Amino acid sequence: LFMAAVVMIFSSLRHRAAPLASRLGGNVVGRRNMTVLPKSFLQGFYNNVAKTNSTYILFIFGGLIVGETIFGTVTDSIWAGKNNGKTYDTVDWSAFAEDDDDEEEEEDDE
C-alpha cells in the first residue's frame, strides 16, 4: 500500500515536470526521457569524466575535498564572527593582567 502511494506521487510529479522541462529548453522526448541539461553538456561530461571508473571516482573525491574545504572555511568564519571575544584566541588578555609590583617589592625586602 505504501509503495503504491509512493509510485502514484512520483508519477504525478513526473507528469507535472514535463512542461517545466520543455520551457527550460530541455530535451523532452515523451514522458520518460526528461532532462533539463543540454545533450552536449551530458556527452562532454560522460566523455571527460564518467567514461572510466577511475576518473569518475577521482572527480567525486576531488569534489568532496573542494566542497569540504569551502564548507569548513565558511562555517569557521561564521563561528569566529559569532564568538568574537569569547574564544581563547580572541580574548584581550591584557585586561586580565595582574600587577606583579607587590611580589617584586617583597623579594627586594628579603
Side-chain angles (χ1 to χ4, degrees):
L1 182 64
F2 176 73
M3 288 303 286
V6 170
V7 168
M8 287 175 45
I9 290 171
F10 282 113
S11 175
S12 172
L13 291 175
R14 184 180 62 178
H15 294 304
R16 290 180 188 169
L20 176 63
S22 65
R23 280 191 302 233
L24 293 174
N27 185 12
V28 178
V29 178
R31 293 194 184 266
R32 289 192 179 262
N33 189 12
M34 291 187 311
T35 178
V36 178
L37 298 172
K39 191 174 182 179
S40 62
F41 174 77
L42 294 174
Q43 285 177 341
F45 177 79
Y46 176 76
N47 289 333
N48 294 322
V49 176
K51 198 168 194 174
T52 63
N53 196 26
S54 60
T55 58
Y56 187 62
I57 290 173
L58 184 64
F59 175 78
I60 289 173
F61 279 113
L64 287 172
I65 291 170
V66 169
E68 173 58 29
T69 302
I70 293 170
F71 182 78
T73 303
V74 169
T75 54
D76 285 347
S77 65
I78 291 171
W79 176 266
K82 294 286 185 181
N83 294 309
N84 191 17
K86 299 176 186 176
T87 60
Y88 183 80
D89 295 336
T90 59
V91 170
D92 181 21
W93 293 105
S94 63
F96 300 105
E98 294 181 13
D99 292 333
D100 291 337
D101 294 339
D102 295 335
E103 292 177 12
E104 290 177 9
E105 290 177 7
E106 290 176 6
E107 291 175 6
D108 291 338
D109 292 339
E110 294 177 8

